[in-house]
Amino acid sequence: MSELSVQIQQALDNEGVSAALTLCAERLLEAPTDADAHRHLGQLHALQGQRKNALHHAQQACELAPDDPRSWSDFGRVLAGAGRIDDALRCFAESIQIDPRYADGWHNLGTALKKRRDYDGAFNALKTALRLDPTRAQTYLNLGNLLIVAGQFDDAVECFERASHHDPQLATARSRLAEQLSQAGAVKRAETLFRQSVGLDPSHTRGWFGLGRTLEDVGDEENALACYQQVLTRQPAHALALGHYLALTKLASTEADMLSLIERATAMLVDPAVHDESKAVIGYGLTKYHDRRKQWSDAASAGLAANAARRKASGAFDREALARRVDAIITTYDREFFAARKRFGVGADQPVFIVGLPRSG
């Protein structure tokens, strides 16, 4: 890492983006063709949302240092942030062609390929990055997310565990691991990891929401509500947190804060910019809220809106498809099917009791 890179990282850690920008500007006054300064400026402007400046400086870095894989990889990151995934892929490919052992280039290539839904390519690129550098926590995190898409949950959990091991400060890795453990029934361990994630990063809304869901699952409604409130304080339009909060809260609609939430939820139900699945979650939360207070008309209206949104999100009910599915089940699982398999399983006569939650099947 260059001396300028070290100074910029220290400035970011201690003073923020403005101080880092000042360092780059001072460096360019001394050496206008310093590719490293342009490269860092590209990333810093991208952090601030100044896309045009970010693209300009990132491209300058590539022109000034065309044989530096870092310049091409960082230019690709700026392009990806601007939604130009195809151009970003070309830059990442250029970076690893210059240096096939450049792990950052492979990592960024894998991340971009995942956005393109090229899951095989993404998997191979991320695995290559880890072969080159087995300590990359962020790469383990991205690979774990990819494995979830592929349904390989055990391998995903292992990736999240390794991400947490290599970077104990990575809050996202802990919350993703906690989500998988919670789904597997390890609720207490999940709760611990969610608490650690928000302890590491109090602004980590995914961690707060996951902790709320976990506490709700174990019956701690009061603290679950506090977690959802943490999410809504940071993201007022967070549909899942809003829906769960409304479904649980005991506050009366006459209280000022609650009235504001009800108005927000009601407005989101008719806002064309809000996704239908989000409307469904909010509507069901509103339904439970009004139903608990015997406000039957409001509950019915919210429920109808939620159902309509869910139908738009998932498609209309296909009665004929359901009938075909049921007929196929009846045809397949007939007397002969079970007779041919009567010796399968455990050969014991003891009755088996299946215990589950209501409606769990």
Side-chain angles (χ1 to χ4, degrees):
M1 185 179 289
S2 68
E3 181 181 351
L4 178 62
S5 297
V6 172
Q7 292 174 344
I8 288 173
Q9 189 58 56
Q10 290 175 344
L12 284 170
D13 292 340
N14 299 323
E15 302 172 73
V17 176
S18 296
L21 285 168
T22 299
L23 281 173
C24 288
E26 291 173 350
R27 176 60 183 158
L28 287 177
L29 284 175
E30 299 173 2
T33 59
D34 188 320
D36 220 22
H38 282 288
R39 181 170 65 84
H40 284 296
L41 272 176
Q43 298 301 304
L44 293 169
H45 282 305
L47 278 176
Q48 292 192 316
Q50 298 174 357
R51 189 171 297 169
K52 185 176 180 179
N53 287 338
L55 289 168
H56 168 74
H57 286 288
Q59 186 170 359
Q60 280 284 100
C62 291
E63 293 173 358
L64 292 166
D67 296 327
D68 187 344
R70 299 173 304 169
S71 296
W72 288 103
S73 183
D74 283 359
F75 187 22
R77 289 174 60 193
V78 174
L79 288 165
R84 294 167 57 180
I85 300 298
D86 289 342
D87 291 335
L89 285 169
R90 284 190 282 272
C91 287
F92 298 141
E94 182 69 21
S95 74
I96 59 177
Q97 184 173 348
I98 293 169
D99 182 2
R101 298 191 60 79
Y102 184 53
D104 274 1
W106 285 106
H107 168 92
N108 292 330
L109 177 63
T111 302
L113 287 170
K114 181 175 180 290
K115 290 182 179 179
R116 280 280 303 273
R117 299 184 182 276
D118 180 356
Y119 297 132
D120 289 340
F123 180 82
N124 291 330
L126 294 172
K127 289 286 286 185
T128 301
L130 289 172
R131 280 197 295 271
L132 294 169
D133 180 2
T135 66
R136 297 181 60 88
Q138 192 64 50
T139 305
Y140 279 117
L141 182 62
N142 286 9
L143 182 58
N145 290 331
L146 187 62
L147 288 166
I148 288 177
V149 174
Q152 300 178 35
F153 300 112
D154 291 342
D155 291 337
V157 167
E158 182 180 349
C159 283
F160 296 142
E161 287 176 338
R162 291 190 182 190
S164 295
H165 171 74
H166 289 296
D167 185 358
Q169 300 302 309
L170 188 59
T172 305
R174 292 177 184 271
S175 62
R176 292 297 279 126
L177 175 57
E179 288 168 359
Q180 294 307 303
L181 291 172
S182 180
Q183 291 179 23
V187 180
K188 293 308 293 182
R189 188 179 173 200
E191 180 186 342
T192 299
L193 286 166
F194 278 129
R195 290 187 183 279
Q196 289 174 355
S197 74
V198 297
L200 290 169
D201 181 5
S203 65
H204 184 43
T205 55
R206 187 168 192 161
W208 281 115
F209 179 75
L211 180 58
R213 286 292 303 272
T214 302
L215 293 172
E216 188 177 345
D217 287 343
V218 300
D220 187 354
E221 293 186 359
E222 182 178 353
N223 285 314
L225 283 167
C227 291
Y228 297 143
Q229 188 62 57
Q230 289 282 351
V231 178
L232 293 170
T233 298
R234 294 166 173 81
Q235 293 184 21
H238 193 292
L240 288 172
L242 184 54
H244 279 267
Y245 188 90
L246 290 169
L248 280 182
T249 185
K250 304 296 192 297
L251 293 176
S253 57
T254 54
E255 299 184 38
D257 290 344
M258 198 63 232
L259 182 60
S260 175
L261 276 182
I262 296 294
E263 290 175 347
R264 184 191 311 163
T266 304
M268 289 177 71
L269 273 182
V270 296
D271 186 346
V274 177
H275 294 300
D276 290 316
E277 191 57 43
S278 296
K279 289 181 179 180
V281 172
I282 294 169
Y284 291 134
L286 268 176
T287 301
K288 292 180 180 179
Y289 178 84
H290 290 307
D291 183 71
R292 188 180 296 118
R293 287 153 187 79
K294 301 185 182 346
Q295 298 165 344
W296 315 125
S297 178
D298 290 335
S301 296
L304 289 170
N307 285 340
R310 178 61 54 79
R311 280 194 296 272
K312 287 181 67 178
S314 58
F317 173 59
D318 190 337
R319 188 178 298 276
E320 292 183 0
L322 177 61
R324 288 194 299 270
R325 180 183 173 198
V326 172
D327 288 343
I329 292 172
I330 294 171
T331 302
T332 302
Y333 300 105
D334 56 11
R335 184 183 299 273
E336 288 74 20
F337 177 92
F338 291 104
R341 293 162 176 78
K342 66 181 180 181
R343 298 189 184 279
F344 284 17
V346 179
D349 295 331
Q350 291 88 349
V352 176
F353 292 91
I354 300 176
V355 181
L357 295 171
R359 298 177 63 189
S360 69

